[in-house]
Amino acid sequence: MISTLKTITVKMVAGANVATVVIMLLVGFADYVNPVDHPVLSCLGMTFPVFLAINMLFLFFWLMFRKRMAVIPVVGYALAYVPIRIYMPVNLPEDMPDGVIKVLSYNVQGYHGKPRYDGSSDMIVDYIRSSEADIVCLQEDLPPKGGVRSAMDSIFAHTDTLHVGTNNINAIGIYTRFPIIRKERISYDSKGNGSVAFFLNVDGDTVIVINNHLEATHLSLDDRRMYKDMLKGEVEGDTVRAESKRLIHKLGESAAIRAPQADSVHKYVEDHAGYPVIVCGDFNDNPISYVRRTVACGLTDCYVATGRGIGVSYNQKGFFVRIDNIMCSGDFKPYNCKVDNKIDASDHYPIYCWLKKQDKP
C-alpha cells in the first residue's frame, strides 16, 4: 500500500514538473508573439522567472528524494537555454583592447530623482562626468532650471537634445566627444516618447547612434502600489484575480503600442545597413518581449553577449526587470556590459558597455 502511494506521488509530482517545464518554455518564447495581435499573451514573458524558480524547487525535491528524476528539470533548463541566457546571461569578464569606446545609456527621470530625492541633478552630472564615457545617451533629458545644461555642455564637446512625442514632454539627448554630423527622428506615433538617430563622426567613420525611449507602461501610482501589495500577499484572493486581470490588460495595451515602434526602429536599422550602428535606451519592456527581440534582430545585444546576471535596470521595488539596453551592429565587438546599481538618482540605473570597432575584411 505504501509502495503504491509512493509510486502515485512520484508520478503526480513528475507530471506537475513536466507541466511546469512546458509552461516555462511557452512563456520563455513569448517574445515571438506580436502584441498587436495578442496583447495579453505577449506579456507572458514577464512570468518567466517565476517558472524558472518553480522548476528549481522541483530540482531540489528530486535531488533529495529521487535523484534520477532530476532529469526532468535539467532537461527543462536545457530546452529553455535561449530565454534563460537572454533573461540572465552568465559571461566572464574580458580584457579590453586599446581603442574601445564607452557607451552609456541612462534614463535620468528629468533629473528630479523623485520619490527618493527632491533633486538629483548634481548626482547625475557628477556620475556622468566620472564615467568618462565617450557617448552618453539620455532619456527624459529635461533638466530643471539651473546649471545642469551648462554643466553637461562643459563635459562634452558635442551635445544635442531633441524633444520627442506630440506633446513635447520628453526629450532625447546625446553627449559625446565625437562630432555630431546630423540627426533624424525615427517616424512612429507617440504622445510622449520617441527615437532619434544621431550620425556621429567617430574617428573618420560615420556611426549611427539610435537613442530610444519607447512607449511607457502607463501604470499609475495606484497600479504600482496594488502590484507591490499583491507581491507581498497583502491583497485578498478575489481582488488579486480582478486586479491581475486589469493590470495585464493595461500592460498588453501599452505593449501593443510599443510593438510598431520597435518595428520602426528595426526597419530604420535595416534601411541603413551600410553604417555601423549603436542602439540604446529605455525600451520599457522586459527581456523576454517582442520589443527587445525585434530591435535586437540583426544586432548584438551587448548585455546578453557580455553581461552577468539579471541586470535589473528599473529600480522601483517589485519590478525586477531589465528594460534598458545597448545593442550594436557587427561592426563592433562589445565588452563587459553592466547595469550600474551604485547610483539611485533616478528610477532607472544606467547601463554601459565598451565597444571596439572591428576592422573591415
Side-chain angles (χ1 to χ4, degrees), residues 108-154:
V108 295
Q109 198 187 7
Y111 299 88
H112 59 64
K114 294 178 180 178
R116 293 188 178 94
Y117 310 102
D118 292 330
S120 59
S121 56
D122 290 341
M123 294 173 62
I124 291 171
V125 170
D126 290 343
Y127 174 82
I128 292 173
R129 180 185 289 110
S130 64
S131 74
E132 298 183 343
D134 300 292
I135 300 172
V136 176
C137 292
L138 301 184
Q139 304 85 46
E140 298 188 33
D141 186 26
L142 298 161
K145 292 181 180 179
V148 175
R149 183 68 67 198
S150 59
M152 292 292 290
D153 289 344
S154 70

Side-chain angles (χ1 to χ4, degrees), residues 158-191:
H158 308 280
T159 68
D160 200 350
T161 299
L162 187 68
H163 282 83
V164 293
T166 57
N167 56 18
N168 284 332
I169 62 170
N170 196 356
I172 296 292
I174 190 166
Y175 300 83
T176 176
R177 68 180 180 85
F178 302 113
I180 301 170
I181 302 171
R182 62 186 177 92
K183 61 179 178 288
E184 187 173 56
R185 294 175 188 265
I186 296 178
S187 178
Y188 57 72
D189 293 331
S190 180
K191 291 182 179 180

Side-chain angles (χ1 to χ4, degrees), residues 35-36 38-40 42-43 247-257:
V36 174
H38 304 285
V40 174
S42 71
C43 296
L247 289 175
I248 289 173
H249 276 283
K250 200 166 187 178
L251 290 171
E253 289 173 358
S254 62
I257 297 173

Side-chain angles (χ1 to χ4, degrees), residues 102-289:
K102 185 177 181 180
V103 178
L104 171 70
S105 179
Y106 194 5
N107 183 325
V108 295
Q109 198 187 7
Y111 299 88
H112 59 64
K114 294 178 180 178
R116 293 188 178 94
Y117 310 102
D118 292 330
S120 59
S121 56
D122 290 341
M123 294 173 62
I124 291 171
V125 170
D126 290 343
Y127 174 82
I128 292 173
R129 180 185 289 110
S130 64
S131 74
E132 298 183 343
D134 300 292
I135 300 172
V136 176
C137 292
L138 301 184
Q139 304 85 46
E140 298 188 33
D141 186 26
L142 298 161
K145 292 181 180 179
V148 175
R149 183 68 67 198
S150 59
M152 292 292 290
D153 289 344
S154 70
I155 301 171
F156 296 95
H158 308 280
T159 68
D160 200 350
T161 299
L162 187 68
H163 282 83
V164 293
T166 57
N167 56 18
N168 284 332
I169 62 170
N170 196 356
I172 296 292
I174 190 166
Y175 300 83
T176 176
R177 68 180 180 85
F178 302 113
I180 301 170
I181 302 171
R182 62 186 177 92
K183 61 179 178 288
E184 187 173 56
R185 294 175 188 265
I186 296 178
S187 178
Y188 57 72
D189 293 331
S190 180
K191 291 182 179 180
N193 300 87
S195 300
V196 181
F198 296 94
F199 290 70
L200 306 186
N201 181 344
V202 178
D203 301 329
D205 289 332
T206 300
V207 174
I208 300 177
V209 179
I210 302 175
N211 190 1
N212 303 275
H213 191 194
L214 303 184
E215 198 72 20
T217 57
H218 302 299
L219 294 181
S220 66
L221 291 177
D222 287 339
D223 292 334
R224 297 168 191 267
R225 191 177 299 112
M226 175 60 71
Y227 170 73
K228 294 176 183 179
D229 289 343
M230 287 191 294
L231 289 181
K232 296 175 185 176
E234 298 177 355
V235 181
E236 295 182 358
D238 291 341
T239 304
V240 168
R241 284 190 289 272
E243 287 298 320
S244 296
K245 186 176 180 180
R246 187 181 65 83
L247 289 175
I248 289 173
H249 276 283
K250 200 166 187 178
L251 290 171
E253 289 173 358
S254 62
I257 297 173
R258 225 168 13 250
Q261 298 174 356
D263 291 336
S264 296
V265 174
H266 172 63
K267 184 178 184 303
Y268 190 92
V269 172
E270 283 195 323
D271 291 344
H272 295 78
Y275 291 91
V277 175
I278 301 169
V279 178
C280 62
D282 176 5
F283 288 14
N284 268 316
D285 220 328
N286 73 94
I288 312 297
S289 67

